[in-house]
Amino acid sequence: MIDILINITLLAFLAITSVAIVRLTNLFATIMLFGIFSLLSAGLFVVMDAPDVAFTEAAVGAGISTVLMLATLALTKGQKKSHEEDYEEKPSRAHRPWLPLAVVGITGAALVYGTWDIPGFGDPDAPAQTHVARYYIENAMPETGVPNIVTAVLASYRGFDTLGEVAVVFTAGVAVLLLIGGKRPKSSTSLKGDGGQDET
Amino acid sequence: MFIAVSLAILITMGLALARALTGPTTYDRIAAVNMFGTKTVLLIAVLAFLSGRTDLLDIALVYALINFIGVVAALKLVTQKNFHSSGEKERKVE
């Protein structure tokens, strides 16, 4: 009962936040609302008994990506300000979004129609539960010794997959650091000048 | 008891969301996001006791940490306009 209420309220907040993200023109406020959006969806994951996904969503969505978007905003703010005013005004008047709206509406209706065939939430006869889930539930603890089954799957059964993901994430992190963290703290004397690129 | 608490938390979340949406200044939005994160932590903690899964409390702790880091990052950006200066040294240079 109270679970349903919390679900509905969180989903309503999520919808309000996403509409506000689309409508707002202040980039800083948009990033702040993205943080709220991540917290809300992580809360929904917790309500739906997926704490591992919620961990990831909270760490990546609310933590890292908020900080990265703020850093990007800090780097690009000077150029963005002048663009922003004339960028916002024109398309909202001249442009008629009926065709995109129709496409989005039809796609959404098709997706909703597709959900009718999806088995119910937590249905024990769902294909996802009957295929390999039983094997993992029965054998994860004796085979790997990890008490959490999701962790056992991620870190042991799919260990190489996770290793590859870690490599991808590391590469992406290095690339983002090269883009965002360009200036070194040591070059603080040349920060006033515009060309503060002393490659040591 | 827990139901009343979770209702109160949901109402507070709604108020914080309204402040984040309308908030005229930047600091209103930062405070609203910080409060929203705190309410999420509380909601998860209450849910943990409501459903009897007290291991969810770890997630509430992670949320508290992430919320703190995000707010510190946002404030650092607002006051210093960048992330790479430490703040103290910059002020001496200026």
mmCIF file of all heavy atoms in Angstrom, chain A residues 68 71-72 75-76 171-184, chain B residues 84:
data_model
loop_
_atom_site.group_PDB
_atom_site.id
_atom_site.type_symbol
_atom_site.label_atom_id
_atom_site.label_comp_id
_atom_site.label_asym_id
_atom_site.label_seq_id
_atom_site.Cartn_x
_atom_site.Cartn_y
_atom_site.Cartn_z
ATOM 1 N N LEU A 68 30.986 16.174 -13.480
ATOM 2 C CA LEU A 68 31.567 16.350 -14.810
ATOM 3 C C LEU A 68 30.827 17.408 -15.608
ATOM 4 O O LEU A 68 31.443 18.228 -16.303
ATOM 5 C CB LEU A 68 31.548 15.018 -15.570
ATOM 6 C CG LEU A 68 32.581 14.001 -15.112
ATOM 7 C CD1 LEU A 68 32.490 12.760 -15.958
ATOM 8 C CD2 LEU A 68 33.960 14.577 -15.190
ATOM 9 N N ALA A 71 31.851 20.718 -14.344
ATOM 10 C CA ALA A 71 33.184 21.074 -14.825
ATOM 11 C C ALA A 71 33.120 21.537 -16.273
ATOM 12 O O ALA A 71 33.771 22.521 -16.660
ATOM 13 C CB ALA A 71 34.118 19.878 -14.696
ATOM 14 N N THR A 72 32.316 20.851 -17.076
ATOM 15 C CA THR A 72 32.160 21.265 -18.466
ATOM 16 C C THR A 72 31.546 22.652 -18.547
ATOM 17 O O THR A 72 31.960 23.492 -19.351
ATOM 18 C CB THR A 72 31.269 20.250 -19.199
ATOM 19 O OG1 THR A 72 31.720 18.952 -18.886
ATOM 20 C CG2 THR A 72 31.333 20.459 -20.675
ATOM 21 N N LEU A 75 34.059 25.235 -17.899
ATOM 22 C CA LEU A 75 34.982 25.477 -19.016
ATOM 23 C C LEU A 75 34.330 26.247 -20.151
ATOM 24 O O LEU A 75 34.982 27.023 -20.834
ATOM 25 C CB LEU A 75 35.486 24.145 -19.560
ATOM 26 C CG LEU A 75 36.652 23.525 -18.821
ATOM 27 C CD1 LEU A 75 37.074 22.271 -19.529
ATOM 28 C CD2 LEU A 75 37.787 24.493 -18.762
ATOM 29 N N THR A 76 33.046 26.030 -20.370
ATOM 30 C CA THR A 76 32.417 26.579 -21.573
ATOM 31 C C THR A 76 31.541 27.777 -21.290
ATOM 32 O O THR A 76 30.920 28.299 -22.194
ATOM 33 C CB THR A 76 31.546 25.509 -22.244
ATOM 34 O OG1 THR A 76 30.581 25.080 -21.306
ATOM 35 C CG2 THR A 76 32.367 24.359 -22.715
ATOM 36 N N THR A 171 39.407 4.292 -19.796
ATOM 37 C CA THR A 171 39.755 5.070 -20.983
ATOM 38 C C THR A 171 38.902 6.324 -21.078
ATOM 39 O O THR A 171 39.403 7.423 -21.363
ATOM 40 C CB THR A 171 39.555 4.206 -22.236
ATOM 41 O OG1 THR A 171 40.136 2.931 -22.000
ATOM 42 C CG2 THR A 171 40.183 4.844 -23.425
ATOM 43 N N ALA A 172 37.612 6.161 -20.841
ATOM 44 C CA ALA A 172 36.719 7.322 -20.895
ATOM 45 C C ALA A 172 37.113 8.348 -19.843
ATOM 46 O O ALA A 172 37.127 9.555 -20.119
ATOM 47 C CB ALA A 172 35.275 6.873 -20.695
ATOM 48 N N GLY A 173 37.476 7.869 -18.654
ATOM 49 C CA GLY A 173 37.870 8.799 -17.601
ATOM 50 C C GLY A 173 39.128 9.563 -17.968
ATOM 51 O O GLY A 173 39.219 10.776 -17.753
ATOM 52 N N VAL A 174 40.103 8.867 -18.563
ATOM 53 C CA VAL A 174 41.334 9.543 -18.984
ATOM 54 C C VAL A 174 41.028 10.579 -20.052
ATOM 55 O O VAL A 174 41.534 11.713 -20.011
ATOM 56 C CB VAL A 174 42.350 8.500 -19.496
ATOM 57 C CG1 VAL A 174 43.506 9.193 -20.186
ATOM 58 C CG2 VAL A 174 42.866 7.673 -18.350
ATOM 59 N N ALA A 175 40.147 10.212 -20.988
ATOM 60 C CA ALA A 175 39.807 11.160 -22.054
ATOM 61 C C ALA A 175 39.128 12.394 -21.482
ATOM 62 O O ALA A 175 39.461 13.529 -21.845
ATOM 63 C CB ALA A 175 38.898 10.472 -23.076
ATOM 64 N N VAL A 176 38.188 12.175 -20.551
ATOM 65 C CA VAL A 176 37.485 13.321 -19.960
ATOM 66 C C VAL A 176 38.455 14.181 -19.165
ATOM 67 O O VAL A 176 38.401 15.417 -19.218
ATOM 68 C CB VAL A 176 36.324 12.814 -19.083
ATOM 69 C CG1 VAL A 176 35.779 13.939 -18.238
ATOM 70 C CG2 VAL A 176 35.232 12.264 -19.953
ATOM 71 N N LEU A 177 39.389 13.545 -18.448
ATOM 72 C CA LEU A 177 40.359 14.328 -17.686
ATOM 73 C C LEU A 177 41.239 15.152 -18.606
ATOM 74 O O LEU A 177 41.573 16.298 -18.302
ATOM 75 C CB LEU A 177 41.224 13.399 -16.845
ATOM 76 C CG LEU A 177 40.645 13.012 -15.494
ATOM 77 C CD1 LEU A 177 41.630 12.156 -14.750
ATOM 78 C CD2 LEU A 177 40.331 14.255 -14.705
ATOM 79 N N LEU A 178 41.605 14.574 -19.753
ATOM 80 C CA LEU A 178 42.418 15.332 -20.699
ATOM 81 C C LEU A 178 41.653 16.529 -21.238
ATOM 82 O O LEU A 178 42.215 17.593 -21.480
ATOM 83 C CB LEU A 178 42.847 14.437 -21.866
ATOM 84 C CG LEU A 178 43.971 13.458 -21.546
ATOM 85 C CD1 LEU A 178 44.229 12.586 -22.741
ATOM 86 C CD2 LEU A 178 45.214 14.211 -21.171
ATOM 87 N N LEU A 179 40.332 16.347 -21.423
ATOM 88 C CA LEU A 179 39.537 17.451 -21.952
ATOM 89 C C LEU A 179 39.275 18.511 -20.893
ATOM 90 O O LEU A 179 39.404 19.705 -21.153
ATOM 91 C CB LEU A 179 38.199 16.927 -22.481
ATOM 92 C CG LEU A 179 38.239 16.223 -23.809
ATOM 93 C CD1 LEU A 179 36.869 15.647 -24.107
ATOM 94 C CD2 LEU A 179 38.622 17.187 -24.888
ATOM 95 N N ILE A 180 38.898 18.068 -19.694
ATOM 96 C CA ILE A 180 38.417 19.011 -18.684
ATOM 97 C C ILE A 180 39.542 19.539 -17.809
ATOM 98 O O ILE A 180 39.634 20.722 -17.550
ATOM 99 C CB ILE A 180 37.324 18.332 -17.825
ATOM 100 C CG1 ILE A 180 36.051 18.248 -18.642
ATOM 101 C CG2 ILE A 180 37.069 19.103 -16.563
ATOM 102 C CD1 ILE A 180 34.945 17.594 -17.912
ATOM 103 N N GLY A 181 40.414 18.647 -17.363
ATOM 104 C CA GLY A 181 41.449 19.068 -16.433
ATOM 105 C C GLY A 181 42.684 19.566 -17.139
ATOM 106 O O GLY A 181 43.795 19.220 -16.771
ATOM 107 N N GLY A 182 42.512 20.370 -18.163
ATOM 108 C CA GLY A 182 43.634 20.782 -18.998
ATOM 109 C C GLY A 182 44.693 21.557 -18.245
ATOM 110 O O GLY A 182 45.871 21.274 -18.364
ATOM 111 N N LYS A 183 44.256 22.515 -17.435
ATOM 112 C CA LYS A 183 45.230 23.365 -16.760
ATOM 113 C C LYS A 183 45.727 22.703 -15.497
ATOM 114 O O LYS A 183 44.952 22.172 -14.723
ATOM 115 C CB LYS A 183 44.585 24.699 -16.423
ATOM 116 C CG LYS A 183 44.466 25.582 -17.630
ATOM 117 C CD LYS A 183 43.791 26.876 -17.254
ATOM 118 C CE LYS A 183 43.526 27.698 -18.484
ATOM 119 N NZ LYS A 183 42.581 28.769 -18.210
ATOM 120 N N ARG A 184 47.030 22.786 -15.299
ATOM 121 C CA ARG A 184 47.624 22.233 -14.090
ATOM 122 C C ARG A 184 47.570 23.265 -12.992
ATOM 123 O O ARG A 184 47.678 24.458 -13.257
ATOM 124 C CB ARG A 184 49.086 21.865 -14.347
ATOM 125 C CG ARG A 184 49.293 21.003 -15.543
ATOM 126 C CD ARG A 184 49.146 19.537 -15.181
ATOM 127 N NE ARG A 184 48.602 18.783 -16.292
ATOM 128 C CZ ARG A 184 49.236 18.602 -17.444
ATOM 129 N NH1 ARG A 184 50.395 19.125 -17.648
ATOM 130 N NH2 ARG A 184 48.689 17.898 -18.386
ATOM 131 N N HIS B 84 40.124 23.686 -10.862
ATOM 132 C CA HIS B 84 41.531 23.339 -10.695
ATOM 133 C C HIS B 84 42.263 24.252 -9.736
ATOM 134 O O HIS B 84 43.364 23.952 -9.343
ATOM 135 C CB HIS B 84 42.239 23.300 -12.050
ATOM 136 C CG HIS B 84 41.929 24.459 -12.934
ATOM 137 N ND1 HIS B 84 42.486 25.673 -12.754
ATOM 138 C CD2 HIS B 84 41.084 24.559 -13.993
ATOM 139 C CE1 HIS B 84 42.022 26.497 -13.677
ATOM 140 N NE2 HIS B 84 41.164 25.839 -14.443
#
